[in-house]
Amino acid sequence: TDRKKLHTAPVGQVFRLRPLHVLVATGGGYAGYRKYEDYKLEQMEKRGIEVPVKLASEWEVALYKSVPTRLLSRAWGRLNQVELPTWLRKPVYSLYIWTFGVNMKEAAVEDLHHYRNLSEFFRRKLKPQARPVCCLHSVISPSDGKILNFGQIKNCEVEQVKGVTYSLESFLGPRVCTEELQFSQAPSGNSFQQQLVTKEGNELYHCVIYLAPGDYHCFHSPTDWRVSHRRHFPGSLMSVNPGVARWIKELFCHNERVVLTGDWKYGFFSLTAVGATNVGSIRIYFDQDLHTNSPSYSKGSYNDFSFVSNNNKEGISMRKGEHLGEFNLGSTIVLIFEAPKDFKFHLKAGQKIHFGEALGSL
């Protein structure tokens, strides 16, 4: 009679699985598994073993997309803005430096106590002499990183890594029919690739540069050119490391990206900054109206902005090596441009490159 009654509730009321919880748990676990697979592929590459191409199925891509990477990236961006106590800065930054192999001797300010938060540390400036700009070649690397792929574009398909392609039109979006871009007035029956070429005898070329978390996070103008137009594609923020780029076809078309198009002395020129997991924002210094990684967006949508106006007939003129923008963390830069047939790249796939070094020339 002294025993107390234990009141219980049905198990379903105590522990209730919600669809979002299932998606997050399943997607997160699968993302972890993919990270492990990527690590194994990287080890195979280091040993010189050729990695076979194995593309993700539609359900695998959908499952990966179920991970709330945009929400996590916004949270990461806010965390980066939190000011760290002075005593905590050196241990936190030292761990990051050790993990990703950051060379702080190149930084304009080597004292780790100087950086109030992670965001300032990620966007650290370099010493002027750390990245000399090559004057002998017409196109230089806009950033530090790893060369994933480069070469001539054929059949409107671009290689993101060896053996895995994406559609040129899906990546850049519909052709911008404005007089200021000086695109060729090609017949509508011609391919999208042919419509971008402005001069007879020219070809389209591309180069993909992957920025790892330990790389210098700013990017610069790769040549002297004129930026006429910006197109912003909201989208997913999946990882863009080489392992995932080898696994997901048209990865760069799925992810959020900012496409800058215009022209240089040989015709059409574009630079695209591709977002990725934990890249809370893509910033273009001269574009104050650009806002990336917004909480909501319409699938497949994009928005355009022209830098050519009645007051500014020339657009934005950029000099080779001039500061252009920055990422919050590592990501990818894709160059797509027109040049004569004798344009030659001075690169090897997989090589490390620094901002200012030569990409190619005539």
Side-chain angles (χ1 to χ4, degrees), residues 78-152:
R78 291 181 181 179
L79 179 62
N80 290 347
Q81 300 292 334
V82 176
E83 185 169 342
L84 296 175
T86 305
W87 62 269
L88 189 58
R89 294 175 187 177
K90 189 170 183 178
V92 170
Y93 302 148
S94 296
L95 177 62
Y96 186 91
I97 290 168
W98 177 80
T99 303
F100 296 108
V102 179
N103 184 5
M104 284 303 293
K105 291 184 179 180
E106 297 176 337
V109 180
E110 297 183 39
D111 182 13
L112 298 180
H113 296 101
H114 169 79
Y115 303 100
R116 294 173 297 176
N117 52 47
L118 284 166
S119 181
E120 286 189 1
F121 179 72
F122 293 148
R123 296 180 289 104
R124 62 191 176 278
K125 303 300 180 184
L126 299 182
K127 295 173 181 174
Q129 65 273 21
R131 296 289 185 273
V133 175
C134 177
C135 299
L136 301 177
H137 296 82
S138 52
V139 184
I140 61 169
S141 176
S143 66
D144 288 6
K146 178 181 180 180
I147 302 295
L148 292 190
N149 215 302
F150 63 92
Q152 193 177 116

Side-chain angles (χ1 to χ4, degrees), residues 6 65 78 83 220 260 271 310 342 357:
L6 178 62
K65 284 186 172 183
R78 291 181 181 179
E83 185 169 342
H220 301 245
L260 300 178
L271 179 149
N310 292 330
D342 56 349
E357 294 179 350

Side-chain angles (χ1 to χ4, degrees), residues 339-352:
K341 291 182 178 180
D342 56 349
F343 181 88
K344 300 294 182 183
F345 284 101
H346 305 284
L347 301 171
K348 292 181 180 179
Q351 79 173 70
K352 290 288 293 182

Side-chain angles (χ1 to χ4, degrees), residues 259-276:
V259 182
L260 300 178
T261 55
D263 58 88
W264 69 321
K265 59 182 178 180
Y266 300 112
F268 173 80
F269 199 96
S270 73
L271 179 149
T272 302
V274 183

Side-chain angles (χ1 to χ4, degrees), residues 68-81:
T69 51
R70 294 179 64 85
L71 177 62
L72 293 173
S73 297
R74 285 194 296 275
W76 175 253
R78 291 181 181 179
L79 179 62
N80 290 347
Q81 300 292 334

Side-chain angles (χ1 to χ4, degrees), residues 55 149-161 163-172 191-194 196 204-208 249-253 334-336:
L55 295 177
N149 215 302
F150 63 92
Q152 193 177 116
I153 297 175
K154 298 180 180 179
N155 302 320
C156 294
E157 290 285 320
V158 189
E159 279 196 320
Q160 58 190 29
V161 293
V164 182
T165 63
Y166 56 93
S167 163
L168 176 64
E169 185 170 5
S170 296
F171 182 70
L172 295 179
S191 69
F192 181 79
Q193 178 177 337
Q194 292 172 326
L196 292 180
L204 277 185
Y205 298 85
H206 76 103
C207 182
V208 183
K249 183 178 174 64
E250 298 204 329
L251 171 64
F252 299 154
C253 298
V334 179
L335 301 179
I336 296 175

